[in-house]
Amino acid sequence: MKKKIIIGNWKMNPNTVDDARRTYRSIRNLSKRLSNVHTVICPPFVFIPLFKSTQGYPIGLGAQNVYFEEQGPYTGEISASMLKGLGVKYVIVGHSERRAMGETDEIVSKKIQILLQFGIHPILCVGESVHDAHGDYLEVLKNQIKNSLAKVQKKYSSQLILAYEPIWEIGAKESMNPETILEMSLFVKKVLSDIFGHDQALATPILYGGAVNFRNAGDIITKGKVDGLLVGRESLNRPGFSALLKTVDSL
Ligand code: PGA
């Protein structure tokens, strides 16, 4: 059985170095006791150098963003090479919170290309803003995936991770029901299969994100049949995230 991938997206949290260290250590120590879960933590950039001690622990270090140029006069930006040098193996791209700040499919596509060039796994987030009755949302989703991956060569597709995150579920109280998650993840696989072929599509992990917590995680994985979860708020709640990891590990 393939390990489930659980990604903690800390967003712009926590406020202090001490808090970040404490949260990270508790997850890192627990990760040693899990055999069916691969945990990835995506803290804000400034905390990444503090967490280099992932070596020896089955935990991955990720970032929440990257710039698409290799280096140069880009004030405030962070390159793929800098992240790689700090041990970052995963980077979230196309998160709806960044899309709301102007990140287009074209920018996402460029970010994916630079990440692949540096051997970093892009975690491509896609999701519709409304689940309309006519099914137009399927077209929205398909275009997001196709545009973002148009320039990715098939041989690199195995490095991709895809996270389906319906926008209204992010920060919501309740997650999408597992039956709909299953339908949507099958749709995402179908689109991937059109781009890269059947085998590659089956090999690409599809995650679900949006209001995941320790109570609903088990059902989302077993009934929604996804390969993992992208977790926001609950990844900063130490007891909640530990319970979530243990639940998924025991499935
Ligand atoms: P949430 O966020 O788990 O707090 O809903 C998920 C995300 O933004 O990836």
Side-chain angles (χ1 to χ4, degrees):
M1 194 186 80
K2 267 207 285 182
K3 286 190 180 196
K4 299 297 176 207
I5 304 170
I6 308 292
I7 298 173
N9 175 13
W10 287 9
K11 309 194 180 184
M12 201 172 73
N13 299 294
N15 270 333
T16 66
V17 167
D18 280 355
D19 215 0
R21 275 212 173 98
R22 265 196 296 274
T23 304
Y24 171 71
R25 280 200 194 119
S26 85
I27 301 165
R28 188 194 62 182
N29 295 340
L30 174 63
S31 71
K32 272 211 146 162
R33 292 190 271 131
L34 307 175
S35 34
N36 301 319
V37 170
H38 181 63
T39 315
V40 176
I41 298 303
C42 301
F45 286 134
V46 291
F47 297 141
I48 289 173
L50 308 175
F51 303 161
K52 279 185 91 174
S53 61
T54 50
Q55 276 138 6
Y57 289 88
I59 185 169
L61 193 52
Q64 299 171 22
N65 193 17
V66 67
Y67 196 55
F68 52 76
E69 296 289 354
E70 275 198 60
Q71 69 174 130
Y74 307 105
T75 303
E77 298 294 352
I78 306 285
S79 73
S81 152
M82 293 171 190
L83 294 174
K84 193 178 169 90
L86 292 173
V88 167
K89 301 234 162 40
Y90 304 82
V91 173
I92 297 172
V93 290
H95 192 283
S96 63
E97 287 158 11
R98 295 219 59 89
R99 289 182 191 265
M101 293 177 209
E103 185 157 305
T104 59
D105 285 346
E106 198 188 337
I107 296 173
V108 171
S109 161
K110 288 186 186 171
K111 289 183 174 181
I112 290 176
Q113 285 171 70
I114 195 89
L115 291 171
L116 293 173
Q117 202 178 307
F118 280 86
I120 298 174
H121 298 278
I123 303 164
L124 168 62
C125 299
V126 293
E128 71 281 21
S129 52
V130 282
H131 213 70
D132 61 286
H134 315 291
D136 290 351
Y137 61 91
L138 294 175
E139 202 57 25
V140 170
L141 205 56
K142 185 162 95 186
N143 288 336
Q144 262 180 8
I145 300 171
K146 288 202 159 161
N147 295 339
S148 309
L149 300 179
K151 299 207 170 105
V152 174
Q153 292 174 33
K154 192 171 170 174
K155 64 174 180 189
Y156 288 127
S157 63
S158 58
Q159 287 190 46
L160 292 169
I161 297 174
L162 220 127
Y164 169 63
E165 299 204 302
I167 296 177
W168 71 94
E169 291 292 1
I170 297 174
K173 267 200 178 141
E174 300 284 334
S175 73
M176 185 178 247
N177 70 64
E179 292 73 22
T180 316
I181 293 174
L182 173 59
E183 277 170 27
M184 296 308 293
S185 73
L186 290 173
F187 179 75
V188 168
K189 272 209 193 298
K190 163 82 179 68
V191 177
L192 284 176
S193 162
D194 291 345
I195 306 172
F196 298 121
H198 179 258
D199 293 353
Q200 299 287 343
L202 282 184
T204 307
I206 314 276
L207 317 187
Y208 167 80
V212 174
N213 56 42
F214 76 90
R215 287 185 203 88
N216 59 24
D219 262 5
I220 295 175
I221 298 259
T222 49
K223 296 189 190 152
K225 299 201 193 322
V226 282
D227 305 300
L229 304 165
L230 178 48
V231 187
R233 285 157 295 168
E234 191 81 319
S235 68
L236 287 146
N237 165 12
R238 270 173 259 152
F241 198 53
S242 298
L244 183 154
L245 292 172
K246 286 181 199 158
T247 301
V248 175
D249 192 56
S250 68
L251 294 175

